[in-house]
Amino acid sequence: MPMLGSSASTLPRPKPCLESYARSQAVKSNRRPNLSSKSAQSPPCSKIRDYPLAISTALYQGEPVAAIVAESPSLAEDAAELIQVEYESLEPVLDAEQALEDKSILHQEMGTNKVWNGVFEYGDVDKSFQEAAYVVHIDRLHFHRFSSTPLENNVVIAEWNPKDDHIYYSCNNSFPSFAIQFLAAHLTVHIDRIRVQTADIGGSFGIKITNYPQMAVCALASKKSGGRPIKWVETRSEHMTSSAHGNERTFRDTRVALDKDGVITAIASRHIDDCGAYPRYEPLGCVIWSQVFPGVYQFKNARIDFTQAVTNKCPVGPNRGYSRMQHLWFLERVVDICAHEIGIPADEMRLRNYIQPEEFPYTTPNGCVYDSGNYPKMLEIAKQLIGWDGWKKKQAELRKEGRLIGIGIGTTLDSGTNNFGQSQIVNPGAPFSGNSQGANCKLDIYGEVVVAVGSCPQGQGHETTAAQVVADVLSISPDLISVRTGFDTERNVHTGFSGTYASQFAVSGLSAVHGAAQKLKTEMKRLAAFVLETKEDDLEFSTGAQGPEVRANSTGKSINYWGLANIVNVNSAVLPPELHEITLNCRYIWRAPFKVPDKQKKYGNLTLTYASQLHIAVVEVDRETFIPKILDYVAVDDCGTVINPPIVEGQVYGATAHGIGAALLENCVYDAVGNMLTSTFSDYTPITALNMPTVRYGHIETPSPHSYSGAKGMGEGGAAPIHTISAALQDALFSNGIIIEDSFNNADTLFRAVVGREIYQADKLVKLDRRV
Amino acid sequence: MPETIERVPIKLKVNGKSRAVSVEPRTLLVELLREGLDLTGTHVGCDTTYCGACTVLMNGAAVKSCTIYAVQADDAEIVTVEGLEIDGQLHPIQKAFGESYGLQCGYCTPGLLLSTYQLLSSNKQPNDKEIRKAIAGNTCRCTGYQNIFKAIRLAAQNTKGT
Ligand code: FES
Ligand code: FES
């Protein structure tokens, strides 16, 4: 199969002089697909022309400028070497705050680097500050750029059949129903002409949602080749430099009002988000964070001025914990810093500020409804698990020896099942709202139970849990159920929201499966009642000598699934007309009970379920090397009713590893001119078995009233370790006059803070205004 | 770049079967296995000898096949994940990974199975530190390693005395 290779820009913002080379042969058609979308983006960023290959100016290192089709990857690489591009270097913009000065503009057609700005204001902020007993000012906090880097890179095979303009994709995109909405518009083909299939996917963590630019190039290359299938296998360096990173965010001029007991009454702050060179899934992140507006805390008054800017870095994508983790990290930093400033222990500070268990369902200041939770209980369990008192004692002793030991708490939320209506808060014209998922449950001709879902799992156990749900409905063993996962447009079970993302399968996917199974059961009952000449309420679903069956309690007569399927599919003359509507092939679309949020007030329920995580870490900063080392770690989780405990536990461990990696090892670093310095795994250093601590796991269950099973989505884990490790490092270093200003910390940053005194200096960053 | 690319004949044994192939000198072992021999269970995650998704056994030692030229495997005996099963049954190490939820997406798993295989061939009862060290070159992005540690402990138990 011909392979696609690409030549990527090697300088930030290079201007190709040999334009004819730089333009891809594949896209040299009259229809150059522009990937920005009027429906996804509002002015001014809808003016951006986002081509899958750069046209005249490349905006970040790694941006593809040419595509080559060859018979093998090595030949494609040889050919790529023949492409000579002379770049003229322009002034790079690498910091979002600097970008907002608009001195060097990335997208001339937009005329500014500002993608979006909006103020989220609730309650009476000014009054709260007037009445505050304490006001804490925090000058700057910064959440770094990282990516959860799935182990399998992006892969696309595209085949554009010239006879009927049908495009077939086999790929690992993890939100295909979204991708086809972009692709159909920009390849100007009917959406029904695009078939997307996914098989097993080697991890995504949201990063594979945005590989549709490459999907577009492959399709066009196939078209140009007369319909041959074209395959693109991303290299790791391509992945690191040009697939997607998580959003980077800077928090400026934060002011926190507290009462005399240390209860936070208001927060005012300015947040600046960096979305890289092109807003692709963005500016959605400008509102997604507000799903967890107050985090786990009770404060009612807040004003957050939120701005997003483009910079000469890789575009961002919805990385695990998307947009919420940045905000939750910010809130946890605020809580720890305020606690320290006014002299309240970190655990006590949280207990005074948590939303209390009896307050659920709890409506946040911006109208989100937290379904259930018990944060104080989770704290209690986590403290027990880690041996809080013991560690406190040990910490005090070791501190006397000069050792830098910190104990940190991170409380966080994993909001699942989005209300896509929130997109209208950033783009009033967006034609999206609600959320839905489709499933199909049928008895096939020989009576096999087959379930299909519109998700594309990457090891989250969709097959297992979907089988469990259907088995429960039909009272049979899960082993008897075939689950068809992996997305396929031609299975006709998807909606425009189908895919695997945003912590929602347990709610949206399984609700769809449950609905389809119920529908099937209802039909089976009607049919069995006819065949067994009894009433529906006389019937029992069970497994007999001839496999799964429906039995009449009154007569003991039964019919197995083969018998039922036989009548409907190949023996239909025995069916009376009133039963002709029975198909035993039941499609069900589950729809989340959402309303469109109030766009002006930025008010409404944005997510259906709120799983919570409470982590505690004990961390030591080595006095000689400044290497931070985790001495102990516990993770307590609450995702409502647990459908499959080992799967939940596995997700918790996985998300914990991502968070620990992000906090201590994984950082997308750019130099002063925009070269990415971490473009291989050897430089980026994803967490390994050697630096992953043993995690002790605990959990509670507060069933969600918002899902049929009481379960909540929980795949993202709220990035709890990032908050927790920052808190532990903070605890270790408060007495050294240090404020943990950044979410990423390693020996270098800690050395520069503690010894060099260059960064993180508390006297420059934090000010307490004490009014009592 | 030369007009025609030279090819080198090599012989090797893969999963017990003798193979004679001719490869370009630059062909990596992983490319030969995946593209040439259709053994796609061996994966590529990084190309820089970090992730171990490409781990295979070469003459009994776990090696990263993305960092070995196919010509270096001339006369070698290679075992890939496809060669682990015994009489159509999953190898006890594979079973242990399944039972312990030691995989999610499974992309890292073939490499981890072979690193585990090598570990347990020389150390029947590895302690936690030895387990961590043995798989330090195998990146898993999904599981957070905890269940992989469990799987390897279980595999050690199940293969004791074999
Ligand atoms: S692909 Fe060989 S080590 Fe990563
Ligand atoms: S299970 Fe996905 S990388 Fe290990």
Side-chain angles (χ1 to χ4, degrees), chain A residues 436-459:
Chain A
S436 60
Q437 181 58 282
N440 193 85
C441 195
K442 67 176 175 184
L443 287 198
D444 218 325
I445 298 178
Y446 287 162
E448 311 93 326
V449 185
V450 183
V451 191
V453 204
S455 70
C456 34
Q458 307 115 34

Side-chain angles (χ1 to χ4, degrees), chain A residues 78 148-149 151-152 201 205 236 458-459 646 650-651 653-654 657-658 666 682 685-689 692-695, chain B residues 1 26 44-48 50-51 101 104-105 107-108 132-133 135-136 139 141-147 149-150:
Chain A
D78 289 345
S148 295
T149 57
L151 193 55
E152 175 201 54
I201 294 179
F205 317 117
R236 179 53 60 183
Q458 307 115 34
Q651 288 294 314
Y653 293 142
H658 276 179
E666 302 175 28
S682 307
T685 62
I687 192 163
T688 69
M692 179 67 197
T694 298
V695 175
Chain B
M1 200 179 55
R26 64 176 170 183
V44 176
C46 73
D47 304 312
T48 54
Y50 188 92
C51 76
Y101 287 71
Q104 286 177 28
C105 81
Y107 199 77
C108 65
R132 283 174 185 265
K133 221 172 143 200
I135 59 161
T139 307
R141 288 311 262 164
C142 302
T143 62
Y145 302 104
Q146 312 294 306
N147 288 342
F149 300 147
K150 268 186 222 160

Side-chain angles (χ1 to χ4, degrees), chain A residues 1-6 68-80 228-233, chain B residues 1 5 7 24 26-27 31 35:
Chain A
M1 184 183 305
M3 291 290 295
L4 187 77
S6 69
I68 294 141
V69 177
E71 290 293 336
S72 74
S74 38
L75 278 179
E77 272 161 34
D78 289 345
R228 296 185 64 183
I230 302 291
K231 172 156 125 185
W232 172 68
V233 180
Chain B
M1 200 179 55
I5 299 163
R7 294 185 85 85
E24 286 181 22
R26 64 176 170 183
T27 302
E31 291 167 356
E35 314 293 334

